[in-house]
Amino acid sequence: MPPAIGIGEPALAPVPAATPPFSSPGLYELVAADQVPAMPPPTPEPPQGAEALATSEPEPHPEPEQKGGWFSRLKAGLSRTTAKLTESITAVFKKRRLDEAALEELEETLISADLGVAASRRIVEGFRKTRFGKEVTDEEVKAALAEALAEILAPVALPMPINPSHAPHVVLVVGVNGTGKTTTIAKLGQQYRAEGLRCAFVAGDTFRAAAVEQLQIWGERTGARVHAPAKHGADAAGLAFDALTAARTDGTQVLLVDTAGRLHNKSALMEELRKIIRVIRRVDPTAPHSVLLTLDATTGQNALQQVKVFKEMVDVSGLAVTKLDGSAKGGVVVALAQEFGLPVHFVGVGEKAADLRPFEARDYARGLVGLE
């Protein structure tokens, strides 16, 4: 993959002003028969973290690549989790025999680091079979733990395939509001653009004016067409239908669709997401080609519940775990891998496009326990 360009950098080619809202009154008549319960207007949410950047001015110069590259940024992003995990391991294992008491303490340490009960027990059982009764140091435990973590993570470390022959490849991005859906779309759009792919965004969270405005700003910065609602609270399925219809004729190769994420009315959200899928399949029966669920690492074990809920709603094909740099709960990725086995396509450790990268099991495992 060519190096990703930082969002908002002037290296991007000049683009026209934000695309006017795209709408088709006839289409709204077409989908009206679905009669989905109206999503209630959300309580306004102030932009936070990466999403707050959407209202800032573009940076005058790209930031230089940090010394050591992506692995260094990953380790730095995981530092709070690493400190929590390794301090406990160091306290427990000071050249002591790996007996039942030590194994019990290790299991408690792993669970407290958000690895989850199932993954923690799996790792401890592995230690019991291979190292029980042996004298070990904290460094030996860290190295063995990194190997065990990589073994759990390797099967889910899969890239999100983009097949331009779909013309376009449709990515439906779902998740609870605040997990980073909008900025994930922006970062992916910028990375795909750097690879020479033509992208477009659909501002499908039509009740959140801030989300629509953010995507329009990212569209200007990345050169992506933005399909925005004609009015506040417009039908998201109709907007997605219009966008996909246009994308099939204007050469768009990747269509990234933002969605609502208000779980306080789960049934309405479920119907809205299912309606979007039903309606876009009238244009392309194979769409969406990817359903990417974004999860905020700072929520820890709550991320597992979010996966369960969204799997009930739509056929989630993969995960993007964001905001690892603000979390002491990076172990939750291990819990997700053990519990669901869903591909983890991306992890995010910062606000720039280069800080969202494909998930690598070995790097993540070693970063988690503080190894080079």
Side-chain angles (χ1 to χ4, degrees):
M1 177 187 295
I5 307 169
I7 289 180
E9 295 168 7
L12 297 176
V15 297
T19 306
F22 190 90
S23 63
S24 171
L27 185 276
Y28 293 112
E29 295 174 7
L30 172 67
V31 299
D34 285 292
Q35 293 298 312
V36 173
M39 291 291 290
T43 303
E45 301 174 6
Q48 298 177 357
E51 294 204 355
L53 292 184
T55 58
S56 64
E57 291 299 316
E59 296 170 349
H61 299 288
E63 277 197 1
E65 180 81 2
Q66 294 182 19
K67 186 176 181 180
W70 166 244
F71 184 67
S72 292
R73 292 207 299 280
L74 178 63
K75 277 191 68 178
L78 291 172
S79 59
R80 292 176 65 185
T81 303
T82 302
K84 181 178 180 180
L85 185 60
T86 58
E87 284 171 11
S88 297
I89 290 175
T90 301
V92 173
F93 297 99
K94 282 290 187 181
K95 207 169 185 181
R96 68 178 279 188
R97 192 172 298 278
L98 195 63
D99 56 17
E100 282 297 337
L103 287 173
E104 191 172 308
E105 288 185 63
L106 176 60
E107 184 173 347
E108 290 174 0
T109 294
L110 298 178
I111 291 173
S112 70
D114 283 280
L115 273 72
V117 173
S120 299
R121 286 180 177 169
R122 172 177 169 176
I123 291 168
V124 168
E125 282 305 309
F127 275 50
R128 180 175 283 112
K129 291 176 182 177
T130 59
R131 292 174 172 80
F132 188 77
K134 297 179 181 178
E135 194 172 86
V136 293
T137 66
D138 57 334
E139 290 303 316
E140 289 171 334
V141 171
K142 289 178 190 176
L145 179 57
E147 292 178 11
L149 292 172
E151 183 180 324
I152 294 172
L153 295 172
V156 303
L158 301 170
M160 185 172 75
I162 294 296
N163 186 352
S165 69
H166 286 135
H169 185 107
V170 180
V171 182
L172 188 68
V173 183
V174 301
V176 176
N177 284 347
T179 56
K181 293 192 301 292
T182 305
T183 48
T184 293
I185 288 171
K187 291 172 182 178
L188 291 177
Q190 189 146 351
Q191 290 181 17
Y192 293 144
R193 181 184 182 277
E195 294 173 16
L197 297 175
R198 184 172 181 179
C199 298
F201 304 151
V202 182
D205 192 357
T206 62
F207 276 103
R208 285 187 66 226
V212 174
E213 291 166 5
Q214 286 161 12
L215 271 187
Q216 288 174 323
I217 292 172
W218 294 130
E220 290 181 7
R221 294 180 179 182
T222 61
R225 179 176 182 179
V226 179
H227 299 270
K231 61 180 181 179
H232 178 74
D235 181 71
L239 178 66
F241 180 100
D242 290 346
L244 181 52
T245 301
R248 286 167 66 89
T249 61
D250 67 10
T252 296
Q253 294 167 295
V254 184
L255 185 68
L256 295 151
V257 184
D258 199 2
T259 61
R262 297 181 290 282
L263 281 182
H264 61 271
N265 191 333
K266 177 183 169 184
S267 60
L269 176 59
M270 182 181 295
E271 285 306 312
E272 179 170 298
L273 292 175
R274 288 175 175 172
K275 181 179 175 182
I276 290 172
I277 292 172
R278 287 198 307 272
V279 169
I280 63 176
R281 283 180 177 169
R282 297 175 185 177
V283 183
D284 181 351
T286 66
H289 307 106
S290 301
V291 179
L292 182 67
L293 172 60
T294 62
L295 299 167
D296 180 346
T298 63
T299 63
Q301 293 297 299
N302 190 45
L304 277 72
Q305 182 60 29
Q306 291 177 24
V307 174
K308 290 177 183 177
V309 170
F310 277 93
K311 276 174 63 64
E312 292 175 9
M313 298 184 189
V314 289
D315 186 15
V316 175
S317 60
L319 309 175
V321 183
T322 66
K323 307 183 186 180
L324 283 161
D325 53 317
S327 174
K329 302 176 182 292
V332 72
V333 178
V334 181
L336 290 165
Q338 178 68 32
E339 180 80 15
F340 299 104
L342 282 169
V344 180
H345 295 315
F346 306 101
V347 289
V349 295
E351 298 171 340
K352 295 188 172 299
D355 294 328
L356 182 76
R357 290 289 184 92
F359 180 64
E360 298 285 346
R362 183 179 181 276
D363 285 352
Y364 196 89
R366 294 184 71 81
L368 205 58
V369 297
L371 298 178
E372 294 298 331

